[in-house]
Amino acid sequence: MDGPREIKTALISVFDKTGLDKFVNILYKHGIRIISTGGTLDYVNNLGIPALAVEEFTSYPSILGGRVKTLHPKIFGGILGRRDNTMDKEDLKSYEIPEIDMVVVDLYPFEKTVLSTDDEQEIIEKIDIGGISLIRAAAKNYKDVLVIPSSDLYEKAISLLEHNEFFTSLQDRKEFAAMAFNVSSHYDALIFNHFNKDFKIQSFKQSILTGKELRYGENPHQKGVYFGNPDALFEQLNGKAISYNNLNDLDAAVNLIDDFTDTTFAIIKHNNACGLASRSSLPEAWKCALAGDPVSAFGGVLVTNASIDEETAAEINNLFFEIILAPGYDESALELLKSKKNRIILKRKPFTLPAQQFRSALCGVIAQDKDLVVENEGNLTVVTAAKPSPQEISDLLFANIIVKHTKSNTIVLAKDKQLVASGVGQTSRVDALKQAIEKAKSFGFNLKGAVMASDAFFPFADSVEISHNAGITAVVQPGGSVRDKDSIDYCNNNGMAMVFTGFRHFKH
C-alpha cells in the first residue's frame, strides 16, 4: 500500500548539529525511537534524550577509524525493506531487522574542505560514504521511508510531522526523496570536478543547489529561474526583486568594473557600457561617465568601485536608473538614493567570480575559460614609426579594457580616460566605427587626440583611415591579420601611432 506511513523509528547521524536540538526534542516528545552514531549520539544524550547506539543496534563495532559505522545489513535492511513485499517482510523477521521509518543524515563538508585546504588526505577523508549511502537508500525507498538530507530541511520536516501527527503521505516522502537526490547528486558532482582537475575528462557536471524563480525571463512571455545565491554576492538595501535582465547586466557590470584599479564609474545598458570614466574623485567620474551618453543612461545599471558619498548620490539621484552597485554608501547618500522605493540598491560583498563560463548551445553546452587578460604597457608592441605619448598609452589601455567587455564587433573611442563613444554589436567593424564616430559627434565630443580600440584585427586599412579623418591619433588592436601591413602603412603615412596587443577580445 502507498498510503500514509507512521514515523516510529528514526536513524540520526549528522556532521552539522545546527538546529538538531529542536528537532530531536520534538521527536522525543512524540515517542520516536532514535538510533544514532558517534558524535551525534553524544550530542543527543547530552540533551537528556535517550538514543540507541548503532553499534548496539547492529552488534558490530565502528571500524577503520570510523570509516565504517552504518554500513551494515541491519541498518540498510531496516531502511530498504519494502513494507508491502512479503519476501522482504519475511527477511526482516528472519534476521531480526527492525524497520527504520525516517533517516536524518547530512554529508561531510567536502566543498568547504576543498576551499579551505590543499591537504589531499584531509579532502579525501571528507568524502562521505555512509551518509551518501543512507540518503540514497532512504530516498530510493520513499514509498515507506522519509529522508531528511540536510539541516536546512528540519523546519519543513517538523511542520509536516506535527501537522500530520507524525504520519507522512506518499507525496510528502517523494518530495523529500527528490530533495535528497538533489543533495546527493550535487555532492557527487563536486567530488568529480575536484578529481577531474588533474585529468580533464570531457564531461560536463555543474551543480547549484539553490534556485529562485524570477518574474519572467528575458521577455514577459518567457519563464526564468536564477540558480545561485545572490545573497553571497550582494546585500540588497532597497528596491524591487532583481530580474533576469538585471542579473545579466549585473554580471556585465561586475566583470567590467573589476578590471579597473582607478576610481571608476560605469553605466551599463544591455550588457554594454554606454558611459564610463576614471577620475581622481567619484563625483567627477560620475559626471564624465554620464556625459558619454546621457540618453542611453536612462534606465541603466550603475556600477562603481568606490563608496558612494552624498555629493555623488545627489548627482545620481537626478537620473532614472534601475540598479546601483557599489562597495559601500555613506549614510546620507543611502537615504537620498532610497527616495525611490523601486530603485535597486546593492552593496557588493567581497567575492570572486568563477574562472570558467558556459552556456547552452543547440542540444548541449559550450564551456570556456573566462577572458581574464588585462593588458598593460608591457603587452603593447608599437608597430608604427610614431610612438604613442604617455597620455595616449594611458587612454589606449583604458579603451582596451572597455572593448574587451563590449559586444562584438566593437570599436571604442576614448579620451582622457573617458569613454567618448562605442560602436556595439555590429556585423561590420567599419559600421561599428562609423556608429561610434557619429555618436561621439552627436554628444559634442571633439575626437582630435582621441584613441581607438578594436576587439579584433583590421582586415583592411579602411578603419584606420576613417578614424584618422575623424581626428583619432592612436590605435590599439590585437594584430594578426594577413594584411596588417596595410593598416600599418596608412598610419605611417599619416603620422598615427598603432600598437598590437596579441590578444583578441571577441564577446558574443
Side-chain angles (χ1 to χ4, degrees):
M1 298 291 292
D2 295 333
R5 293 285 189 269
E6 184 178 6
I7 305 297
K8 297 178 180 179
T9 302
L11 172 66
I12 305 177
S13 180
V14 296
F15 184 90
D16 179 10
K17 309 300 189 296
T18 304
L20 185 61
D21 53 346
K22 178 181 178 181
F23 195 18
V24 294
N25 268 294
I26 290 172
L27 297 182
Y28 176 59
K29 287 177 183 178
H30 282 81
I32 306 302
R33 183 191 188 201
I34 297 174
I35 305 166
S36 194
T37 64
T40 307
L41 178 66
D42 294 339
Y43 182 88
V44 172
N45 286 336
N46 287 335
L47 293 173
I49 297 172
L52 182 66
V54 162
E55 292 85 352
E56 186 178 347
F57 180 77
T58 61
S59 300
Y60 207 89
S62 171
I63 62 173
L64 304 182
R67 280 190 164 194
V68 179
K69 295 191 289 279
T70 56
L71 296 170
H72 191 281
K74 201 163 185 178
I75 295 291
F76 282 87
I79 295 170
L80 288 166
R82 291 162 289 188
R83 300 341 186 221
D84 59 355
N85 184 290
T86 301
M87 291 183 63
D88 282 9
K89 291 172 73 174
E90 289 177 356
D91 281 346
L92 293 178
K93 183 178 180 180
S94 175
Y95 293 104
E96 299 181 344
I97 299 175
E99 294 174 347
I100 296 174
D101 311 300
M102 181 168 70
V103 173
V104 182
V105 178
D106 65 4
L107 300 171
Y108 290 156
F110 179 83
E111 185 173 18
K112 289 182 180 178
T113 304
V114 169
L115 293 174
S116 64
T117 183
D118 294 325
D119 186 332
E120 188 68 9
Q121 189 55 43
E122 185 176 348
I123 291 171
I124 294 302
E125 290 305 318
K126 288 300 184 290
I127 298 177
D128 207 310
I129 303 300
I132 199 83
S133 302
L134 290 167
I135 287 173
R136 290 178 63 86
K140 176 177 180 176
N141 199 26
Y142 70 87
K143 287 189 175 182
D144 298 303
V145 178
L146 178 68
V147 58
I148 316 296
S150 167
S151 61
D152 294 336
L153 297 173
Y154 288 171
E155 289 300 325
K156 182 179 178 68
I158 289 169
S159 176
L160 170 68
L161 294 172
E162 290 192 322
H163 183 264
N164 297 291
E165 297 182 345
F166 277 71
F167 281 83
T168 61
S169 70
L170 177 65
Q171 191 64 20
D172 293 330
R173 296 190 299 275
K174 191 171 184 178
E175 181 185 4
F176 274 86
M179 292 186 285
F181 284 124
N182 183 33
V183 169
S184 66
S185 62
H186 177 72
Y187 198 74
D188 285 338
L190 293 172
I191 295 169
F192 168 78
N193 288 329
H194 173 71
F195 276 79
N196 200 36
K197 288 188 299 184
D198 296 331
F199 303 103
K200 305 301 180 186
I201 298 167
Q202 295 303 310
S203 177
F204 182 79
K205 287 183 175 64
Q206 295 292 329
S207 178
I208 300 174
L209 277 174
T210 56
K212 181 180 180 181
E213 188 170 341
L214 304 171
R215 283 175 291 164
Y216 51 80
E218 200 161 8
N219 300 292
H221 63 277
Q222 296 170 269
K223 291 183 178 180
V225 179
Y226 176 64
F227 295 101
N229 180 19
D231 292 339
L233 313 181
F234 317 116
E235 179 184 357
Q236 185 163 352
L237 305 176
N238 191 70
K240 60 187 178 181
I242 297 173
S243 71
Y244 180 98
N245 291 326
N246 291 157
L247 288 165
N248 273 322
D249 281 333
L250 283 168
D251 182 71
V254 170
N255 280 291
L256 171 63
I257 204 70
D258 280 357
D259 278 351
F260 288 93
T261 54
D262 293 339
T263 298
T264 301
F265 222 121
I267 306 168
I268 307 298
K269 200 72 175 287
H270 295 289
N271 307 157
N272 298 295
C274 62
L276 192 150
S278 295
R279 291 291 183 269
S280 58
S281 74
L282 192 61
E284 283 304 309
W286 163 250
K287 290 175 185 177
C288 292
L290 181 61
D293 187 347
V295 175
S296 296
F298 183 85
V301 171
L302 316 184
V303 61
T304 180
N305 54 8
S307 290
I308 304 291
D309 55 36
E310 185 175 6
E311 180 183 352
T312 307
E315 293 290 337
I316 293 170
N317 203 44
N318 294 321
L319 176 74
F320 169 75
F321 60 90
E322 284 269 338
I323 302 176
I324 183 167
L325 171 63
Y329 301 85
D330 290 354
E331 187 175 342
S332 55
L334 185 58
E335 288 306 308
L336 187 59
L337 293 173
K338 281 183 174 181
S339 60
K340 302 290 191 296
K341 67 175 183 178
N342 286 330
R343 179 182 284 165
I344 299 171
I345 303 175
L346 300 175
K347 180 180 178 181
R348 185 173 175 181
K349 297 178 181 179
F351 68 87
T352 303
L353 292 173
Q356 192 178 55
Q357 299 170 312
F358 50 85
R359 66 183 182 185
S360 61
L362 300 175
C363 59
V365 172
I366 50 177
Q368 67 171 354
D369 295 334
K370 181 181 286 187
D371 184 357
L372 298 175
V373 173
V374 180
E375 288 87 349
N376 55 43
E377 189 171 352
N379 299 122
L380 305 182
T381 300
V382 180
V383 294
T384 51
K387 295 182 179 181
S389 68
Q391 180 60 52
E392 287 174 329
I393 288 174
S394 176
D395 283 342
L396 288 169
L397 293 172
F398 172 87
N400 206 54
I401 292 175
I402 302 172
V403 89
K404 167 188 166 182
H405 293 280
T406 306
K407 297 289 185 180
S408 300
N409 287 311
T410 181
I411 293 290
V412 166
L413 307 180
K415 187 176 181 180
D416 299 328
K417 288 193 173 182
Q418 178 185 23
L419 172 60
V420 172
S422 58
V424 178
Q426 298 300 304
T427 54
S428 159
R429 197 159 304 282
V430 169
D431 285 345
L433 174 57
K434 289 179 177 178
Q435 181 190 60
I437 292 171
E438 182 61 31
K439 193 172 185 179
K441 289 180 178 178
S442 72
F443 291 117
F445 284 101
N446 181 357
L447 292 177
K448 186 176 182 180
V451 304
M452 173 173 71
S454 175
D455 60 336
F457 62 63
F458 297 116
F460 306 102
D462 47 6
S463 291
V464 289
E465 181 179 355
I466 293 169
S467 67
H468 171 253
N469 291 335
I472 302 297
T473 56
V475 180
V476 59
Q477 60 139 319
S481 169
V482 294
R483 301 186 64 170
D484 277 343
K485 187 174 183 298
D486 293 358
S487 296
I488 294 171
D489 287 346
Y490 183 89
C491 288
N492 283 335
N493 291 333
N494 291 276
M496 294 179 72
M498 185 159 64
V499 297
F500 287 178
T501 66
F503 293 100
R504 188 180 74 184
H505 290 297
F506 272 169
K507 184 184 180 188
H508 298 105

